[in-house]
Amino acid sequence: MRLTKFTDLALRAVMRLAVVRDGDEPMATREVAEVVGVPYTHAAKAITRLQHLGVVEARRGRGGGLTLTGLGRRASVGWLVRELEGEAEVVDCEGDNPCPLRGACRLRGALREAQEAFYAALDPLTVTDLVASPTGPVLIGLTERPPG
């Protein structure tokens, strides 16, 4: 199973926001884009989707920025990936050129089971689990500015 680039970006953004320390100023979308190495417009779309899911809160203006919500910290990675990936199946049997086997195919069901097993393996993990050491310190180090 391969995640979309959008889901990958959203997960990296959530992970970076999960390690913002008390006293740090909230990150801006532009900063998140720089840290995860994507164009601002891509990051903005991912942040918007994460807001709709209730995982990220965004405040405008002075003192504003992005913060991870309580739901965002304790969210199951499996749930988050399901929400970001949508309901699409691994294969498209009904597309522009429908598969002639679709009525009697056993592969489609097997792939659906494998996809669910993939998500189920992610269900016990939370966003907080993803940023445990050694990942969290590396994420923080990506944006720390040298003293001086």
Side-chain angles (χ1 to χ4, degrees):
M1 166 109 198
R2 185 177 185 106
L3 298 179
T4 62
K5 289 182 180 182
F6 180 81
T7 298
D8 176 49
L9 161 60
L11 290 172
R12 289 186 287 146
V14 165
M15 290 170 65
R16 179 54 186 95
L17 292 173
V19 295
V20 172
R21 298 174 284 197
D22 289 337
D24 287 351
E25 291 192 24
M27 293 183 78
T29 302
R30 195 164 303 283
E31 290 176 283
V32 172
E34 289 173 13
V35 169
V36 298
V38 298
Y40 168 79
T41 54
H42 291 38
K45 288 176 187 175
I47 295 297
T48 299
R49 179 72 175 116
L50 292 167
Q51 282 181 267
H52 289 297
L53 292 173
V55 173
V56 171
E57 182 180 340
R59 292 194 191 124
R60 293 186 176 269
R62 192 173 187 191
L66 305 171
T67 55
L68 201 59
T69 65
L71 170 63
R73 291 189 184 286
R74 65 181 183 278
S76 158
V77 176
W79 170 80
L80 191 52
V81 171
R82 281 181 188 92
E83 292 296 317
L84 293 166
E85 288 288 309
E87 298 293 322
E89 292 189 49
V90 175
V91 294
D92 182 13
C93 301
E94 307 295 333
D96 293 338
N97 189 13
C99 177
L101 299 175
R102 70 184 178 275
C105 182
R106 297 179 67 192
L107 178 61
R108 186 177 190 180
L111 290 172
R112 190 176 306 120
E113 283 182 35
Q115 182 179 25
E116 188 50 42
F118 174 80
Y119 291 139
L122 298 173
D123 283 339
L125 294 170
T126 65
V127 172
T128 300
D129 294 332
L130 294 180
V131 297
S133 189
T135 306
V138 171
L139 284 164
I140 292 169
L142 292 176
T143 52
E144 285 185 343
R145 294 178 180 90

